[in-house]
Amino acid sequence: MNMKRVYTFGNGQAEGRSDMKNLLGGKGANLAEMNLIGVPVPPGFTITTDVCTEYNQQGKEAVTKLLKNDVEKAIKHVEDLMGTKFGDAENPLLVSVRSGARVSMPGMMDTVLNLGLTDSAVEGIAKKSGNPRFAWDSYRRFVQMYGDVVLGMKPKSKEDIDPFEEVMDEVKKQKGVKLDTELEVEDLKLLVKKFKAAVKERTGKDFPESPWEQLWGAICAVFDSWMNERAIYYRRMNQIPEEWGTAVNVQAMVFGNMGNTSATGVAFTRDAATGEDIFNGEYLINAQGEDVVAGIRTPQQITIEGSRRWAALQGIDESVRASKYPSLEEAMPECAKTLIETQQKLEDYFKDMQDLEFTIQDGKLWLLQTRNGKRTGAAMVKIAMDMLRENIIDEKTALKRMEPQKLDELLHPVFDKAALKSAKVIAKGLPASPGAATGQIVFFADDAEEWSEKRKKVILVRIETSPEDLRGMNVAQGILTARGGMTSHAAVVARGMGKCCVSGAGEIKIDYKTRTIEMSGKVYKEGDWISLNGSTGEVYEGQVNTVDADLSGDFAKVMELAEKYTKMDVRTNADTPKDATVARKFGAKGIGLCRTEHMFFEGDRIKAMREMILAKDEEGRREALKKLLPIQRQDFEGIFLAMDGLGVTIRLLDPPLHEFVPHQLATQKELAAEMGLTIEEVKLACDSLEEFNPMLGHRGCRLGCTYPEITEMQARAILEAALDAKAKGADVHPEIMVPLVGVVEELKMQAEIIHNTAKQVFAERNDWVDYKVGTMIEVPRAALTADRIAEVADFFSFGTNDLTQMTFGYSRDDAGKFLKIYQEKGILKNDPFAILDQQGVGQLVRMGTEKGRSTKPGLKVGICGEHGGEPSSVKFCASLGMNYVSCSPYRVPIARVAAAQAAIE
């Protein structure tokens, strides 16, 4: 049976449905569904995502041949419904060609509008519509868009403007006008002529006059755009698989640029920035859709309420607003009423906040798209919890609506209210995406990337953003644009990323050539510091202090839901009482990793540590360890008190000793003087600790086996601290973890030292605490022999950072040199240090868990690498029946939601 490659829709009927997103893409599936539920949608057809895969495997010619008959039949279907003819000179069918992946990728792929226009068809449209200006405006837009998307007419360098905009600016200047809408028919004819000449000059080819050539060019360009640089980058950023592909949607054109009874716009059924239950959006009269999202003209608001809010932000009084910037409700009340009814119908039907695109042609409303809208972390939480309270969705659906990573946005600091009172406001725009951002001004996306790699905080400042700016937007702290509204590219993408964004700050003057921006009469240069308030639209001079965000209200309710449904605990990696307290506030159920070595680097502690390392014999080491004992004991006591009632896993010393000794001559001289040694003796001792491969060297349990007195001191410090905390009324649960075990005999030796020390401490104190001894499974051999290791261990904790290093044979410190290239070339889909490699490292984790529990069925198993806070890795751990994952304090809420989702999916 032949594979179906093309699905048609129109006139209330459709071959697809909304549950066919994988095949038809999100846009195609929803266009079909809107037809079926009676929403006015221009007829068209969808070429499936499977064809995109064929296109990438077989190439343009083969796929064009495969599709030819189906596309011709589908065009005939649209012709019949529209009463027009594709390629006809007098009554031509014009179409749009748009991408549509199964998940929304705003602006990352390509679109062509008004396709089918030619020198003869434009005359037919002018005659048929009785509106030559509209016909020629559509033609110049088509040449411009097709030239850019299909023929590759891009700016030559980042400082240059778009080649078509250059021609447009020149014609407007000659004419003495500012807006595109002020150009007359003869000006538009001149533009078409000049645009075509520019195409010929740049490409060496004439602009195609055949509608069929145009159509195939556009279809192939959309498929090609799946593999363009920005789409690839966006997919990597959001973990969207390359093999998904994009669909292509071809639809009959409806026109928002037919005059003052036509318009185009973008709307959201709820506020995508804050989550407020208020219909909002923007429109432009006598325009086409790209004008709204590109931010070239600052659009007007759809509702009166939205318009008044916008005017208040811009400092525009009510009489000026009503006369110059009326809402759609005021300018076209009937159309606005229909739109408001339609948006409610769509939200009720899809049971989620919708992002709509619409066109009004001669007073008739058409919907071009609906999709679940991109939203900020704050909006994600509020919308889900509001819909739960409104009984639109149930608790499990509310939990599934959480994108765990986006919760991170709610944990970001906010501006200190006291600091804001003295902050100098230098510009004001629209609050496009909330948050507090401080950074140095940069004007170009590639510079933002470069500066960010040097650990500089940057604010990306653009006249308007385009999809090409994605990389720069991703690394910037915030985004500031001179043009564009709340639905512009900058605003939509920033909200999706959770980036602070102020858009449409119309008073600022940006000069790319000199890399300067003028605000409030003062010129700021690249590198100057500014701060953005994405919640008010204000721009401040310099750096403004921040404070921790308040995490009550709906955020707390999401955490309650996570607690209700999760089957796996989330612990934290914490080395100080402060970190432990923060994590506990976020709902951590104990400490999964307390790294003792971090405690040795502070103040005078390092001196005692160095004395121990440089001691010539065991007696000398024990003398130095006596100085460290009270320090360690005090640190552990603070952590036990902070984690009262919860388990605390403390890892014994792990790094190689050379990390603690000085490597600079001045510090070595200081140490020699303090210890009564010669500089040569110190240098010799430091040099002797150097290793060719420290990661695989004298570290972890190997230190404890060669210097048992280190393990003795640490075990004593832990257990004495536990008894001290118990004496203060705390319920303590110490878990001593032996790192880097590869053979069971290492663990036996370390466990024996710990148990003997415990007997001594309990006898001395005439008191005891229940404690456990376990190990970190981070050497592949430990996973392979986990059944034997479990004979000795009370618990396992998988250290997936080192396990990943040793399984792949990659040094985490050096892998950055090639991992990026490996991902670009498709050798690896993800960075294995960021996302657990489930097929390789994950199988060792699975094997270690199963083998360990085959010996000891009740064995407690957890994970404490960086992967413990990454959602897909957390879900994998849940699938293995782990007891807990452990992650850094600020990732605890993310892991808690991921763990709850794993339990209900």
Side-chain angles (χ1 to χ4, degrees):
M1 184 180 159
N2 283 340
M3 179 172 91
K4 187 170 174 61
R5 295 182 173 86
V6 175
Y7 287 72
T8 60
F9 56 84
N11 199 30
Q13 296 184 319
E15 293 180 320
R17 299 180 312 276
S18 64
D19 60 1
M20 294 171 71
K21 283 187 171 64
N22 292 1
L23 185 66
L24 303 180
K27 190 176 290 177
N30 284 351
L31 284 168
E33 196 72 17
M34 282 196 288
N35 260 282
L36 296 173
I37 63 171
V39 173
V41 174
F45 58 92
T46 301
I47 303 170
T48 68
T49 56
D50 286 348
V51 179
C52 184
T53 305
E54 289 179 319
Y55 182 88
N56 289 323
Q57 289 169 350
Q58 299 176 35
K60 196 175 289 190
E61 280 182 37
V63 168
T64 305
K65 200 177 287 181
L66 275 174
L67 282 175
K68 191 170 183 295
N69 287 342
D70 290 341
V71 168
E72 285 173 0
K73 279 182 199 163
I75 285 283
K76 176 77 170 61
H77 159 81
V78 180
E79 287 174 340
D80 291 346
L81 289 177
M82 294 297 290
T84 52
K85 181 84 177 153
F86 192 58
D88 192 73
E90 290 178 14
N91 186 26
L93 168 68
L94 303 186
V95 297
S96 63
V97 181
R98 290 182 169 94
S99 62
R102 65 170 85 169
V103 294
S104 170
M105 293 173 59
M108 296 307 115
M109 291 177 290
D110 291 326
T111 293
V112 178
L113 304 180
N114 309 322
L115 189 143
L117 275 171
T118 60
D119 289 347
S120 56
V122 71
E123 298 292 355
I125 290 280
K127 189 175 175 185
K128 182 185 170 188
S129 65
N131 188 342
R133 193 199 174 282
F134 144 71
W136 284 94
D137 180 52
S138 300
Y139 198 14
R140 72 91 189 158
R141 287 168 180 276
F142 169 57
V143 176
Q144 184 171 358
M145 202 175 264
Y146 195 91
D148 171 21
V149 168
V150 184
L151 305 176
M153 294 277 288
K154 309 278 184 195
K156 286 179 181 169
S157 76
K158 64 185 181 185
E159 282 92 0
D160 290 330
I161 66 166
D162 178 273
F164 295 113
E165 288 297 327
E166 198 173 351
V167 174
M168 175 91 84
D169 288 347
E170 181 193 315
V171 169
K172 284 197 284 195
K173 193 176 177 184
Q174 286 169 1
K175 180 83 177 171
V177 299
K178 284 190 174 180
L179 298 174
D180 306 354
T181 48
E182 295 173 290
L183 295 172
E184 293 170 354
V185 175
E186 291 310 311
D187 307 319
L188 294 167
K189 286 182 176 179
L190 177 63
L191 272 179
V192 170
K193 188 178 175 185
K194 283 178 172 280
F195 281 178
K196 287 188 169 186
V199 168
K200 176 79 171 177
E201 185 189 332
R202 186 78 80 87
T203 67
K205 294 177 186 171
D206 289 320
F207 190 85
E209 272 288 295
S210 156
W212 284 103
E213 186 185 339
Q214 293 171 2
L215 180 60
W216 288 113
I219 289 170
C220 292
V222 170
F223 281 141
D224 285 334
S225 72
W226 178 250
M227 296 305 292
N228 72 33
E229 190 190 345
R230 63 182 187 263
I232 291 169
Y233 185 78
Y234 187 90
R235 286 201 297 276
R236 283 204 193 112
M237 210 168 74
N238 294 282
Q239 274 112 53
I240 298 168
E242 186 179 294
E243 57 269 22
W244 281 6
T246 181
V248 178
N249 297 288
V250 179
Q251 243 179 316
M253 279 299 302
V254 286
F255 301 95
N257 60 329
M258 285 185 83
N260 291 334
T261 57
S262 299
T264 188
V266 175
F268 296 88
T269 60
R270 299 188 185 215
D271 191 315
T274 66
E276 183 185 357
D277 186 4
I278 184 169
F279 177 52
N280 65 99
E282 296 172 325
Y283 78 102
L284 284 169
I285 284 180
N286 197 17
Q288 287 198 326
E290 291 301 301
D291 299 346
V292 179
V293 292
I296 294 162
R297 281 164 62 189
T298 297
Q300 288 155 234
Q301 301 299 306
I302 290 171
T303 65
I304 295 174
E305 172 64 20
S307 186
R308 285 178 178 150
R309 289 185 185 190
W310 171 84
L313 285 166
Q314 298 291 331
I316 293 166
D317 97 7
E318 176 59 15
S319 60
V320 175
R321 181 206 67 78
S323 60
K324 275 190 157 185
Y325 310 104
S327 66
L328 188 69
E329 281 191 290
E330 293 159 300
M332 298 184 181
E334 283 305 309
C335 291
K337 183 171 177 285
T338 309
L339 177 62
I340 290 165
E341 287 166 0
T342 304
Q343 64 87 22
Q344 194 58 56
K345 178 177 182 174
L346 288 168
E347 182 176 283
D348 292 346
Y349 185 81
F350 287 106
K351 293 182 168 42
D352 200 355
M353 185 266 278
Q354 295 298 292
D355 166 1
L356 320 170
E357 287 180 23
F358 66 90
T359 287
I360 295 166
Q361 177 178 305
D362 256 347
K364 178 172 168 54
L365 175 73
W366 294 91
L367 266 286
L368 306 180
Q369 169 171 294
T370 191
R371 60 187 174 193
N372 293 341
K374 295 280 180 191
R375 62 205 75 180
T376 62
M380 171 186 77
V381 169
K382 179 166 172 51
I383 290 168
M385 298 316 290
D386 279 352
M387 287 189 164
L388 175 60
R389 283 186 284 268
E390 292 158 21
N391 293 318
I392 295 169
I393 57 175
D394 60 18
E395 288 181 344
K396 289 184 178 180
T397 305
L399 256 182
K400 286 178 183 174
R401 291 267 169 96
M402 296 300 112
E403 292 176 51
Q405 296 281 30
K406 289 188 83 64
L407 290 172
D408 188 42
E409 295 165 33
L410 279 76
L411 309 178
H412 289 180
V414 296
F415 285 131
D416 182 359
K417 285 178 182 169
L420 282 181
K421 284 176 186 171
S422 57
K424 183 182 176 185
V425 178
I426 51 176
K428 195 152 190 206
L430 299 171
S433 184
T438 293
Q440 292 173 275
I441 295 168
V442 293
F443 294 96
F444 299 104
D446 56 349
D447 293 331
E449 271 198 290
E450 204 176 295
W451 286 39
S452 176
E453 280 168 14
K454 294 173 184 167
R455 301 195 180 281
K456 291 183 178 182
K457 292 184 172 182
V458 300
I459 301 285
L460 182 64
V461 177
R462 300 288 292 160
I463 294 169
E464 74 229 10
T465 64
S466 75
E468 274 72 24
D469 295 320
L470 181 68
R471 285 174 178 269
M473 294 172 78
N474 187 36
V475 298
Q477 303 298 307
I479 299 139
L480 171 63
T481 69
R483 293 184 194 155
M486 298 287 278
T487 57
S488 64
H489 175 268
V492 172
V493 173
R495 285 195 292 269
M497 287 179 173
K499 292 280 175 187
C500 173
C501 176
V502 174
S503 65
E507 299 303 307
I508 67 177
K509 292 173 187 163
I510 296 168
D511 188 329
Y512 289 149
K513 296 268 187 203
T514 60
R515 300 191 180 213
T516 58
I517 173 173
E518 189 182 322
M519 295 183 277
S520 293
K522 182 176 172 182
V523 174
Y524 295 83
K525 302 186 297 295
E526 189 165 67
D528 287 345
W529 286 83
I530 58 171
S531 298
L532 307 181
N533 189 333
S535 304
T536 63
E538 287 175 323
V539 182
Y540 310 109
E541 187 171 77
Q543 301 179 57
V544 179
N545 290 338
T546 57
V547 293
D548 286 341
D550 174 38
L551 297 173
S552 55
D554 284 335
F555 180 89
K557 288 187 175 70
V558 170
M559 292 299 111
E560 284 169 23
L561 282 183
E563 184 64 24
K564 180 176 177 179
Y565 287 100
T566 192
K567 290 176 183 167
M568 181 173 69
D569 287 342
V570 176
R571 291 189 174 197
T572 189
N573 302 341
D575 308 328
T576 66
K578 185 187 171 193
D579 284 350
T581 304
V582 168
R584 187 158 193 171
K585 190 176 77 177
F586 289 148
K589 293 292 184 67
I591 290 179
L593 175 63
C594 174
R595 291 158 286 218
T596 54
E597 61 271 8
H598 286 189
M599 300 166 178
F600 295 135
F601 286 101
E602 293 176 25
D604 290 339
R605 301 172 177 208
I606 192 71
K607 289 180 182 174
M609 187 67 181
R610 286 168 175 172
E611 277 181 41
M612 188 274 294
I613 293 167
L614 297 180
K616 292 176 179 172
D617 52 28
E618 184 182 330
E619 190 182 343
R621 281 193 295 276
R622 287 189 181 276
E623 278 303 309
L625 287 166
K626 278 181 191 172
K627 295 178 187 176
L628 287 170
L629 174 63
I631 296 167
Q632 287 247 283
R633 184 171 59 224
Q634 187 182 352
D635 286 336
F636 295 142
E637 185 187 339
I639 288 169
F640 284 132
L641 289 171
M643 282 289 164
D644 182 9
L646 300 172
V648 175
T649 304
I650 298 170
R651 181 179 73 185
L652 300 179
L653 190 65
D654 184 47
L657 296 179
H658 80 86
E659 287 192 14
F660 298 96
V661 296
H663 299 284
Q664 290 172 322
L665 187 59
T667 327
Q668 287 177 344
K669 281 180 180 174
E670 226 176 89
L671 185 61
E674 281 169 11
M675 290 190 66
L677 299 170
T678 66
I679 183 67
E680 283 73 24
E681 284 176 309
V682 170
K683 282 180 76 175
L684 190 65
C686 292
D687 291 347
S688 72
L689 293 169
E690 288 292 335
E691 295 179 297
F692 288 109
N693 193 338
M695 187 192 90
L696 301 177
H698 195 192
R699 56 171 284 221
C701 66
R702 298 157 202 166
L703 286 172
C705 290
T706 49
Y707 302 128
E709 54 274 18
I710 296 176
T711 303
E712 276 177 41
M713 182 279 288
Q714 290 203 291
R716 177 172 282 274
I718 291 165
L719 295 167
E720 287 183 355
L723 289 170
D724 290 347
K726 180 185 174 185
K728 290 179 181 175
D731 178 15
V732 291
H733 299 275
E735 299 169 355
I736 301 171
M737 182 158 71
V738 179
L740 220 72
V741 163
V743 291
V744 70
E745 283 73 16
E746 291 171 319
L747 182 59
K748 279 180 182 172
M749 184 180 285
Q750 291 294 284
E752 189 178 344
I753 295 166
I754 294 164
H755 293 317
N756 287 339
T757 305
K759 281 177 194 168
Q760 288 172 21
V761 171
F762 296 160
E764 290 161 11
R765 293 290 190 96
N766 197 26
D767 198 0
W768 69 282
V769 290
D770 192 23
Y771 70 94
K772 289 183 167 57
V773 176
T775 186
M776 211 163 174
I777 306 283
E778 48 195 331
V779 175
R781 192 181 189 279
L784 295 167
T785 60
D787 47 347
R788 294 205 57 210
I789 290 171
E791 291 168 6
V792 183
D794 296 323
F795 64 88
F796 283 176
S797 179
F798 285 90
T800 49
N801 299 345
D802 271 353
L803 191 58
T804 298
Q805 292 197 90
M806 294 193 207
T807 304
F808 274 94
Y810 297 164
S811 158
R812 190 161 60 148
D813 298 327
D814 302 312
K817 293 171 187 170
F818 61 84
L819 278 181
K820 199 174 171 186
I821 297 161
Y822 266 37
Q823 286 173 268
E824 283 167 5
K825 294 193 170 182
I827 297 169
L828 289 174
K829 282 187 180 176
N830 302 300
D831 174 351
F833 294 107
I835 295 173
L836 185 69
D837 161 44
Q838 294 180 20
Q839 292 175 318
V841 179
Q843 293 314 301
L844 286 174
V845 174
R846 181 189 296 278
M847 182 190 295
T849 303
E850 289 171 356
K851 277 177 167 278
R853 285 178 172 164
S854 70
T855 299
K856 197 172 278 181
L859 184 73
K860 183 160 70 175
V861 179
I863 178 177
C864 64
E866 291 299 316
H867 303 104
E870 193 283 312
S872 67
S873 309
V874 171
K875 290 178 182 181
F876 176 73
C877 293
S879 75
L880 300 184
M882 280 195 185
N883 300 87
Y884 69 87
V885 295
S886 188
C887 56
S888 60
Y890 283 93
R891 295 194 74 75
V892 167
I894 293 167
R896 287 180 67 195
V897 168
Q901 288 175 337
I904 60 177
E905 280 171 355

